[in-house]
Amino acid sequence: MPEQAIPRLAVGQDVDLDVAAYPDRKFPAHIAIIDPQVMTDTRTVRIQAISDNADGMLTPGMYAKVQVSLAPRDNVLTIAETAINHSLYGDSVFPDP
């Protein structure tokens, strides 16, 4: 996870796992460990999630796409990426006509 997400992470928080072997199924899990150290080369923090896996469908070595359920942020303005003009003098936002 990017280091900016650290304040919004908590042990016990819900996580969904998607694995290529079962594309139509999500595996529920929860955060068990949040690494206290930020990786200096990537500015990310590692988390460990645990899934029940009672049916044994998940096996060691599978790659998973992990989605952490973060609480929604208050007072956030959403802007379309196409409305942002990037330049050397700073970024500008143009209103939609």
Side-chain angles (χ1 to χ4, degrees):
M1 296 290 298
E3 69 177 318
Q4 294 89 344
I6 292 173
R8 300 172 60 200
L9 296 175
V11 172
Q13 195 167 359
D14 291 334
V15 173
D16 285 325
L17 305 175
D18 292 322
V19 295
Y22 308 105
D24 298 330
R25 180 167 176 193
K26 290 193 182 299
F27 294 89
H30 65 275
I31 295 176
I33 298 171
I34 301 171
D35 193 337
Q37 182 175 353
V38 175
M39 306 294 289
T40 56
D41 54 341
T42 61
R43 308 308 304 164
T44 58
V45 62
R46 292 183 293 184
I47 62 172
Q48 179 180 351
I50 296 177
S51 180
D52 180 27
N53 198 29
D55 54 10
M57 294 178 79
L58 298 174
T59 58
M62 285 182 147
Y63 285 96
K65 179 180 173 187
V66 179
Q67 184 172 0
V68 178
S69 301
L70 297 175
R73 291 183 176 178
D74 294 332
N75 301 322
V76 174
L77 177 64
T78 303
I79 300 173
E81 186 176 356
T82 55
I84 301 173
N85 181 31
H86 302 283
S87 73
L88 295 174
Y89 304 105
D91 300 334
S92 302
V93 177
F94 293 96
D96 190 19

